[in-house]
């Protein structure tokens, strides 16, 4: 087993990885920018190395600085967390070239899934249903027109190098296609340095349902069930649930099996997530994420599996510690993302934490690097805490969430707690009746 792991991240996920390491008897090395000298991930780690000034481009994305830190600290492996370098196949390859283990999938699998056209093709080959659309890059208007006629309007143009929603163009009618086609290509080039685009049928009111999977280097694969991540605003998830209130057991088992088999067929090793749109009882694969996700705790709560521990074991060459038959889903879990932002207009609210009192009690988990006296820097993502509740039923989760959000004191800055409190008492939310457009409408209606 590794003796020392370098954690190439910050915030709550750096703590999450540190905790798994400690329980495995592994020493940890934190890296940090000068904005994070007093951050909790630096305080908790066994060692720390400053890797640069506040801008992420010069610190948490600075590959030479991170590799140098791993050499100085004599680490065995690097865990990238989520965001930053976590889905950078070149980083994974550089880590391995320097003799460290990258705690994640192979660079080849990362490259395939990073190219959204290649990812869909790989999934089709592995028996996964995908959104109807172009199988290859769209290079000329005539093939775009033909494809749109074939699948029917509205259609969506997406960047092959994209993901996460940037640079997508909805096309409602044939006369809008030409303008959208050239706009999509130039935006794709500007955002992702790659003007390759593809077309899909535009689904008008789907839910976002994703399957947590894990493979090992012996060709074993498991599915850990689904998460419903439909509650989001501007492509930022706000609340996630395991399981989805929209699925029946047959649908749940079916998509879980399809995903597990796909991971096995792909020979994928490490943790991953297959993202689907779900509409009118059908699943459509859109993308695969090759990293640990922000919302992984809801899956941990309902399965009892420590996903980070499994990532580390598998990266070290061990077999998965569980077979599919050993995995059972127990109860329900909900995660709320708490951001240092105005709960009304979402402007960032960095600054000094004057009071801090997290909720506790049965079925309550808080993953956060906050403490009283900490200053939330303005240089990074505004996620400062995740409140996760677990209960026997969804209703128990809702009651537990209500009282936990009421207990939670984060003084000195604005947070999105008041927004979450309003969402979880809304009748639609209580009924589980929401799609990917629901939260934006809810926020607009409040204004
Ligand atoms: C779609 C779609 C509708 N139809 N694809 C947005 C992020 C990227 N991962 C994929 N996205 C979408 N792809 C088709 N064919 C709607 C979205 C979408 C969305 C998806 C999941 C969660 C939230 C979303 C918000 C807006 C649009």
């Amino acid at each position: 087993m590794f003796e020392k792991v370098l954690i190439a991240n910050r915030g709550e996920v750096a703590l999450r990885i540190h905790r798994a390491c400690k329980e495995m008897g592994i020493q940890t090395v934190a890296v940090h920018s000068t904005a994070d000298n007093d951050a909790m991930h630096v305080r908790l780690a066994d060692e720390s190395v400053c890797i640069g000034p506040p801008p992420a481009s010069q610190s948490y994305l600075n590959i030479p600085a991170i590799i140098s830190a791993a050499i100085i600290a004599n680490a065995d492996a690097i865990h990238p967390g989520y965001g930053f370098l976590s889905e950078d196949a070149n980083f994974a390859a550089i880590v391995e070239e320097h003799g460290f283990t990258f705690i994640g999938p192979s660079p080849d699998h990362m490259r395939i899934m990073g190219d959204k056209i290649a990812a869909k093709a790989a999934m089709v080959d592995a028996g996964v249903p995908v959104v109807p659309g172009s199988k290859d890059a769209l290079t000329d208007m005539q093939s775009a027109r033909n494809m749109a006629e074939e699948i029917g309007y509205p259609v969506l143009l997406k960047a092959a190098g994209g993901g996460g929603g940037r640079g997508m163009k909805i096309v409602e009618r044939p006369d809008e296609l030409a303008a959208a086609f050239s706009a999509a290509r130039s935006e794709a080039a500007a955002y992702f340095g790659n003007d390759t685009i593809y077309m899909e049928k535009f689904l008008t009111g789907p839910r976002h349902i994703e399957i947590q999977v894990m493979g090992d280097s012996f060709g074993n694969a498991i599915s850990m069930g689904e998460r419903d991540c439909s509650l989001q605003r501007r492509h930022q998830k706000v609340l996630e649930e395991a399981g989805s209130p929209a699925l029946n057991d047959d649908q749940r088992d079916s998509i879980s099996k399809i995903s597990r088999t796909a991971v096995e067929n792909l020979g994928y090793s490490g943790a991953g997530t297959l993202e689907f749109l779900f509409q009118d009882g059908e699943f459509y694969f859109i993308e695969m994420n090759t990293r640990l996700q922000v919302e992984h705790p809801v899956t941990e709560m309902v399965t009892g599996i420590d996903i980070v521990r499994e990532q580390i074991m598998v990266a070290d060459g061990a077999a998965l510690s569980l077979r599919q038959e050993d995995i059972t889903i127990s109860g329900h879990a909900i995660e709320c993302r708490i951001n240092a932002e105005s709960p009304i207009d979402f402007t960032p609210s960095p600054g000094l934490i004057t009071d801090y009192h997290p909720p506790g009690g049965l079925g309550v988990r808080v993953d956060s690097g906050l403490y009283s006296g900490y200053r939330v820097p303005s240089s990074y993502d505004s996620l400062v805490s995740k409140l996760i509740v677990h209960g026997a039923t969804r209703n128990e989760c809702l009651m537990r969430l209500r009282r936990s959000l009421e207990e939670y004191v984060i003084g000195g800055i604005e947070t999105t707690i008041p927004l979450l409190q309003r969402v979880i008492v809304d009748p639609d939310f209580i009924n589980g009746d929401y799609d990917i457009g629901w939260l934006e409408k809810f926020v607009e209606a409040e204004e």
Side-chain angles (χ1 to χ4, degrees):
M1 180 46 64
F2 309 127
E3 283 175 24
K4 205 187 265 192
V5 167
L6 182 141
I7 302 165
N9 216 300
R10 64 180 303 282
E12 68 83 21
V13 73
L15 267 65
R16 172 69 192 83
I17 297 160
H18 169 84
R19 288 171 173 149
C21 289
K22 288 290 98 180
E23 292 181 12
M24 299 172 81
I26 299 170
Q27 297 290 102
T28 60
V29 184
V31 294
H32 67 93
S33 73
T34 53
D36 280 339
N37 290 335
D38 300 319
M40 189 55 97
H41 80 280
V42 177
R43 294 189 172 189
L44 279 187
D46 296 301
E47 292 170 59
S48 63
V49 181
C50 182
I51 51 167
S57 59
Q58 295 175 58
S59 50
Y60 297 102
L61 293 170
N62 183 342
I63 295 175
I66 292 166
I67 298 292
S68 302
I71 294 168
I72 291 164
N74 196 27
D76 303 303
I78 299 181
H79 195 307
Y82 53 68
F84 295 127
L85 296 166
S86 61
E87 296 191 283
D88 185 329
N90 291 331
F91 175 63
I94 291 167
V95 167
E96 300 280 342
E97 279 158 21
H98 283 78
F100 304 108
T101 301
F102 180 77
I103 302 177
S106 71
D108 286 344
H109 283 114
M110 292 171 74
R111 249 177 227 118
I112 292 169
M113 299 309 163
D115 174 342
K116 306 304 165 189
I117 297 175
K120 276 183 81 175
M123 289 300 168
V124 171
D125 287 345
V128 179
V130 302
V131 190
S134 56
K135 275 149 202 69
D136 300 297
L138 276 185
T139 50
D140 62 283
M141 258 308 288
Q142 194 50 52
S143 41
R145 215 172 265 125
N146 294 344
M147 179 52 61
E149 292 303 329
E150 188 185 322
I151 60 179
Y153 290 86
V155 299
L156 193 56
L157 296 171
K158 295 183 172 183
R166 277 211 306 176
M168 301 193 316
K169 288 269 171 277
I170 302 170
V171 189
E172 303 278 359
R173 298 190 317 261
D175 63 309
E176 297 169 353
L177 185 60
F181 182 80
S182 43
R185 285 190 86 166
S186 43
E187 281 183 30
Y191 289 145
F192 312 111
N194 171 5
D195 73 354
T196 310
I197 61 166
Y198 63 107
M199 183 185 289
E200 284 183 350
K201 173 96 190 147
F202 178 61
L203 304 181
T204 47
R207 297 178 78 114
H208 173 133
I209 290 174
E210 57 184 34
I211 305 291
Q212 176 73 56
V213 293
M214 186 113 201
D216 67 21
S217 53
F218 303 95
N220 304 305
I222 55 173
S223 156
M224 287 170 251
E226 86 279 7
R227 297 185 284 258
D228 195 319
C229 306
S230 302
L231 221 67
Q232 57 82 46
R233 184 185 161 271
R234 301 200 180 163
H235 303 297
Q236 296 294 313
K237 293 168 186 165
V238 169
L239 178 152
E240 303 98 340
E241 313 198 44
S244 170
L247 299 191
N248 63 39
D249 282 343
D250 286 346
Q251 292 166 329
R252 181 166 285 133
D253 289 349
S254 156
I255 200 61
S256 192
K257 250 189 214 99
I258 287 169
S259 301
R260 193 197 71 78
T261 309
V263 172
E264 208 173 67
N265 290 345
L266 287 161
Y268 183 91
S269 169
T273 300
L274 280 77
E275 290 190 358
F276 295 90
L277 299 176
F278 177 71
Q279 187 171 291
D280 303 324
E282 302 288 336
F283 292 96
Y284 305 93
F285 169 86
I286 48 171
E287 292 172 24
M288 180 172 184
N289 302 319
T290 56
R291 59 168 194 277
L292 181 71
Q293 293 202 239
V294 176
E295 59 272 26
H296 77 278
V298 290
T299 301
E300 294 188 323
M301 301 315 280
V302 298
T303 60
I305 300 171
D306 181 335
I307 295 174
V308 179
R309 179 189 175 92
E310 291 300 320
Q311 282 190 296
I312 295 169
M313 297 286 294
V314 162
D316 192 42
L320 284 168
S321 73
L322 297 120
R323 298 162 191 277
Q324 191 65 48
E325 311 85 84
D326 304 327
I327 299 171
T328 51
I329 304 293
S330 108
H332 193 90
I334 300 180
E335 171 179 280
C336 284
R337 297 192 187 194
I338 297 168
N339 291 344
E341 287 171 0
S342 156
I344 309 290
D345 63 9
F346 305 94
T347 52
S349 179
L352 182 69
I353 304 295
T354 53
D355 299 284
Y356 188 66
H357 181 81
L362 184 63
V364 177
R365 167 176 172 182
V366 176
D367 281 14
S368 173
L370 292 182
Y371 60 88
S372 187
Y374 173 66
R375 189 175 285 280
V376 177
S378 58
S379 312
Y380 310 106
D381 189 272
S382 63
L383 179 76
V384 289
S385 179
K386 304 190 307 201
L387 169 61
I388 305 108
V389 296
H390 181 221
T393 61
R394 185 168 186 267
N395 197 45
E396 190 169 82
C397 281
L398 295 183
M399 299 310 285
R400 203 156 263 167
L401 201 47
R402 243 174 260 178
R403 72 98 177 143
S404 302
L405 284 168
E406 238 164 66
E407 266 180 55
Y408 208 159
V409 177
I410 303 176
I413 60 166
E414 283 197 288
T415 75
T416 47
I417 289 175
L419 170 74
L420 292 160
Q421 288 178 308
R422 294 193 294 272
V423 166
I424 65 168
V425 296
D426 186 278
D428 287 345
F429 179 73
I430 291 171
N431 293 327
D433 185 12
Y434 58 88
D435 64 18
I436 61 171
W438 186 88
L439 184 62
E440 313 245 8
K441 286 191 213 111
F442 177 85
V443 170
E444 267 172 44
E446 280 197 317
E447 277 170 22

